[in-house]
Amino acid sequence: MSDDSNNTNLIRITTGIAATVAAAVALIMPLGYFAVSYQYMVGSLETESEVSAYNISKVISANPELWRYEEVRLEELLARRKPGSQNEVRRILDERGNLVAERVGTLTPPIIKRSYPLKDAGADVGRIEISRSLNPILIRSIFVSFLGIALGTTVFITLRILPRRAINELKHAEEKLHRYARELTESNEDLKNFAYIVSHDLRAPLVNIKGFAGELSAGLAELQVLKKKCVCRYEGNDGERADEILGTDVPEALDFINSSVKRMDALINSILKLSRLGHRELKPEPVATQEMVTTILKTLTHQLEQHGTEVVVGALPELVADRTTLEQIMGNLLDNAVKYLGPDRSGRLEIFAESGADEVVFHVRDNGCGIAREDIHKVFEIFRRAGKQDVQGDGMGLAYVKTLIRRLGGRIWCESELGSGTTFSFSIPLGNARAHIVP
Amino acid sequence: MSSHQAVTILLVEDDAGHARLIEKNLRRAGVSNGIIHLDNGQKAVDFLFAEEIANHLPLLILLDLNMPVLDGYQVLSRIKADERTKCVPVVMLTTTDNPQEIARCYELGCNIYVTKPVEYEQFSEAIRNLGLFLSIVKVPDEA
């Protein structure tokens, strides 16, 4: 909602700017053109009248009588002009302002005029006045104003469309992102429920398989007792075969059924546990990780001493996170590190942390048996175990750890070299943790 | 309730195999009461609230949680909501040991919650314990 009103505001502002810029372009172009042309025209008119006045003054000085009596000659003088010059009216007036000579032309108003004194031996004898029409300038200004309006409209449309388009693009991108997020949440939810349902429903038939295998064992035991009492007897080969079936074949089959059911049950339990990890509610609280690691290491004292392990714990920060989750993560990683220490050399275990601006990264480094490069991606997968299977494990530890860290908003990665050791690193975001305590 | 009337156990379980195993183990534990097996929750409700059964309420109800039509929770809450049936002990049977589900059953008023473990020995033991519990309950009735 607030995004929408932000966008409407933004559009309103950009529309305002677009309108202002467009109006400015549409107004300034013709006005500017008119002002410059007008200046130029006035300038040329002044020059023209000054030059003409100078020329005519020279003629008058040479023929003083001309000024008094020969108007026709004066009109000739007025008519003497540069070819191609503008349509204009020229008048010669005497010092009292009476018209002496005129060169007529038709001028459409508005008209602009400029005059310059005519001199004879330094004294004013009259003046020359030149008039021109402003019409051509106005017509051209109108034309330019059309151009200005066209340009202004273009500017307006462009300025208005561009931000709107950009906002729409952003909106589309945002909607897409929201949809992806929703789909992801849904499929995550589906996956959790799926694991839960599968584990539930798989167990029901398993109860039957195990139960009736037990019934078969019980029946078999009873049969053996009956046979000893000689209630039924077989002769020769048949008897041996019957003994073999009852004494070896059937119990062997039952053993296989039982061990498979046990394995299946363990797998289902693991999936169930993993799905519950995803459901558990987190309670963020301040956790002193230094203390936590020390406590976990204490529980591993026996194994650590067995390998003659040197343990180095760096300075670990206090952070706000779900205590149990953090304990399980640390516990699993430390347990793994100790479990896979090389049997042929004394162990070394390092736990240290780096605090960044928005996350803390913990490292657990061992000098154990290491993981082959091609196996590294496997270690976080459910039921997968890498390397020699010489240590007990269900292949779930790191899958749990990965799920737990993801729930805290962090990630886990691993660097390892076969035979020389492994470093597991995981990040816990600080921003997330802080956001948790603010109600 | 007449002391000579046969007291029955009502077993509500949709999985025929589970029902058979439970029955076998109850018998092995020495429980000789009649066992009525119903395979969904609706049938159980119909049975319990039928007119003719009013005076022959079962001694004990064994109730599975995950069932079609009406599940164990729904049946349990109906039983505990009715004055007449709410005194009948109910034992919930289920494959899960999810603490939330267990808590919900106790909230609804179940008497015992038994998870069906795959370990046959534990399973038998759970059912046998149930059998022992039944014989103790049964004693004053026969006396």
Side-chain angles (χ1 to χ4, degrees):
Chain A
M1 287 301 275
S2 82
D3 267 14
D4 267 8
S5 71
N6 269 353
N7 287 346
T8 332
N9 266 345
L10 200 62
I11 286 178
R12 196 177 302 146
I13 291 168
T14 51
T15 307
I17 294 173
T20 316
V21 171
V25 168
L27 270 177
I28 286 171
M29 270 184 60
L31 282 182
Y33 178 79
F34 179 79
V36 169
S37 308
Y38 182 80
Q39 283 297 326
Y40 176 76
M41 190 174 204
V42 168
S44 81
L45 205 53
E46 276 168 0
T47 317
E48 186 76 28
S49 56
E50 192 181 340
V51 169
S52 298
Y54 176 74
N55 286 340
I56 293 173
S57 292
K58 259 201 324 197
V59 176
I60 290 170
S61 308
N63 311 282
E65 291 310 302
L66 180 80
W67 172 246
R68 292 287 169 225
Y69 310 107
E70 292 196 35
E71 288 177 15
V72 181
R73 183 81 178 99
L74 277 173
E75 273 163 26
E76 258 174 48
L77 273 176
L78 282 178
R80 195 188 296 161
R81 301 172 52 217
K82 283 184 286 175
S85 61
Q86 291 183 33
N87 189 14
E88 58 191 14
V89 173
R90 297 179 170 218
R91 289 193 183 97
I92 293 175
L93 306 164
D94 64 15
E95 64 266 52
R96 283 185 300 277
N98 295 327
L99 184 66
V100 178
E102 184 176 29
R103 156 136 178 87
V104 197
T106 46
L107 293 179
T108 33
I111 289 166
I112 174 173
K113 43 177 122 171
R114 285 289 182 274
S115 58
Y116 203 82
L118 292 173
K119 296 194 190 266
D120 185 8
D124 280 8
V125 291
R127 56 203 166 89
I128 178 164
E129 185 191 272
I130 304 179
S131 309
R132 283 182 188 170
S133 170
L134 274 177
N135 221 29
I137 297 185
L138 281 176
I139 289 171
R140 267 173 288 177
S141 292
I142 288 168
F143 178 70
V144 169
S145 84
F146 279 129
L147 267 182
I149 288 167
L151 196 61
T153 314
T154 319
V155 168
F156 178 74
I157 291 171
T158 316
L159 282 184
R160 201 165 140 67
I161 285 175
L162 279 184
R164 193 168 276 204
R165 197 173 284 171
I167 286 169
N168 276 348
E169 284 294 313
L170 274 177
K171 237 187 208 166
H172 274 301
E174 204 178 335
E175 269 166 24
K176 229 185 219 170
L177 214 63
H178 274 303
R179 204 175 56 237
Y180 286 151
R182 208 170 42 239
E183 277 169 12
L184 205 64
T185 318
E186 271 169 22
S187 73
N188 236 345
E189 215 38 54
D190 282 352
L191 211 62
K192 278 187 210 159
N193 292 337
F194 175 75
Y196 186 74
I197 290 167
V198 160
S199 319
H200 248 80
D201 295 353
L202 282 182
R203 269 190 141 189
L206 218 52
V207 168
N208 280 337
I209 298 173
K210 184 84 181 174
F212 285 105
E215 289 299 318
L216 276 179
S217 299
L220 204 61
E222 219 172 307
L223 209 59
Q224 300 282 16
V225 175
L226 290 180
K227 212 182 74 179
K228 273 195 190 122
K229 282 198 219 155
C230 304
V231 170
C232 61
R233 186 189 297 277
Y234 298 101
E235 297 292 337
N237 279 347
D238 281 353
E240 270 172 39
R241 180 69 194 130
D243 283 346
E244 201 180 303
I245 291 171
L246 291 178
T248 321
D249 292 1
V250 178
E252 187 194 53
L254 286 173
D255 277 350
F256 274 116
I257 292 175
N258 281 331
S259 62
S260 296
V261 168
K262 209 169 174 177
R263 170 114 190 87
M264 183 82 169
D265 191 40
L267 295 180
I268 291 172
N269 275 334
S270 303
I271 298 177
L272 198 60
K273 190 175 164 194
L274 198 64
S275 103
R276 275 187 204 152
L277 288 184
H279 281 299
R280 209 174 68 82
E281 207 177 316
L282 300 178
K283 292 191 205 84
E285 56 181 308
V287 180
T289 50
Q290 184 103 38
E291 223 167 274
M292 177 181 280
V293 167
T294 316
T295 315
I296 295 171
L297 285 172
K298 242 175 232 164
T299 65
L300 294 169
T301 312
H302 178 67
Q303 291 98 306
L304 287 170
E305 277 170 3
Q306 238 175 4
H307 288 97
T309 313
E310 180 195 354
V311 182
V312 183
V313 182
L316 303 180
E318 176 166 317
L319 50 92
V320 177
D322 184 77
R323 176 180 290 277
T324 318
T325 306
L326 217 52
E327 238 164 37
Q328 284 168 336
I329 294 168
M330 274 294 182
N332 261 299
L333 288 180
L334 291 175
D335 200 47
N336 264 2
V338 176
K339 209 151 85 174
Y340 297 103
L341 282 174
D344 48 343
R345 57 172 179 268
S346 57
R348 185 181 159 82
L349 205 58
E350 275 178 81
I351 301 108
F352 56 101
E354 296 166 87
S355 296
D358 47 3
E359 61 178 19
V360 180
V361 180
F362 291 90
H363 304 276
V364 177
R365 175 175 296 160
D366 64 55
N367 65 343
C369 53
I371 305 161
R373 178 177 286 278
E374 63 271 21
D375 284 342
I376 282 190
H377 68 280
K378 280 193 214 163
V379 297
F380 296 112
E381 284 173 30
I382 185 168
F383 300 140
R384 298 284 287 274
R385 301 183 68 208
K388 277 188 293 178
Q389 312 283 304
D390 50 355
V391 187
Q392 273 290 318
D394 56 6
M396 289 301 290
L398 286 173
Y400 292 147
V401 168
K402 192 181 174 189
T403 306
L404 292 169
I405 289 173
R406 208 164 31 196
R407 281 222 65 196
L408 293 185
R411 65 211 158 80
I412 182 166
W413 64 99
C414 160
E415 281 160 33
S416 185
E417 203 170 310
L418 195 61
S420 55
T422 307
T423 306
F424 278 101
S425 310
F426 65 96
S427 65
I428 301 291
L430 288 174
N432 234 0
R434 281 201 198 107
H436 275 310
I437 33 173
V438 180
Chain B
M1 194 189 282
S2 144
S3 62
H4 287 292
Q5 254 169 349
V7 280
T8 51
I9 295 170
L10 180 62
L11 172 59
V12 191
E13 168 66 74
D14 65 316
D15 188 313
H18 291 195
R20 185 85 185 104
L21 282 173
I22 290 163
E23 201 179 331
K24 270 176 171 274
N25 281 281
L26 282 175
R27 295 287 178 241
R28 200 167 289 151
V31 176
S32 55
N33 307 53
I35 296 176
I36 298 168
H37 172 218
L38 299 174
D39 62 6
N40 76 49
Q42 186 58 53
K43 285 185 188 167
V45 170
D46 291 346
F47 175 82
L48 284 169
F49 297 105
E51 283 298 321
E52 59 266 32
I53 206 70
N55 295 320
H56 308 271
L57 278 178
L59 167 75
L60 179 98
I61 299 168
L62 301 175
L63 192 57
D64 184 37
L65 206 49
N66 294 317
M67 284 186 298
V69 196
L70 278 182
D71 66 22
Y73 294 122
Q74 291 166 307
V75 177
L76 179 62
S77 53
R78 296 250 190 126
I79 291 170
K80 292 300 170 187
D82 191 282
E83 275 302 316
R84 209 167 44 85
T85 50
K86 77 173 182 190
C87 295
V88 180
V90 178
V91 177
M92 299 302 289
L93 299 164
T94 170
T95 45
T96 177
D97 55 352
N98 185 351
Q100 281 172 330
E101 287 191 9
I102 297 175
R104 196 174 154 201
C105 285
Y106 279 122
E107 267 169 37
L108 285 173
C110 94
N111 299 75
I112 307 177
Y113 185 99
V114 178
T115 51
K116 295 180 206 162
V118 176
E119 277 304 317
Y120 186 58
E121 287 309 312
Q122 290 172 33
F123 183 62
S124 303
E125 204 183 329
I127 300 295
R128 273 197 208 102
N129 286 343
L130 208 62
L132 286 176
F133 167 77
L134 290 191
S135 16
I136 294 165
V137 172
K138 211 165 50 176
V139 172
D141 218 40
E142 281 183 346

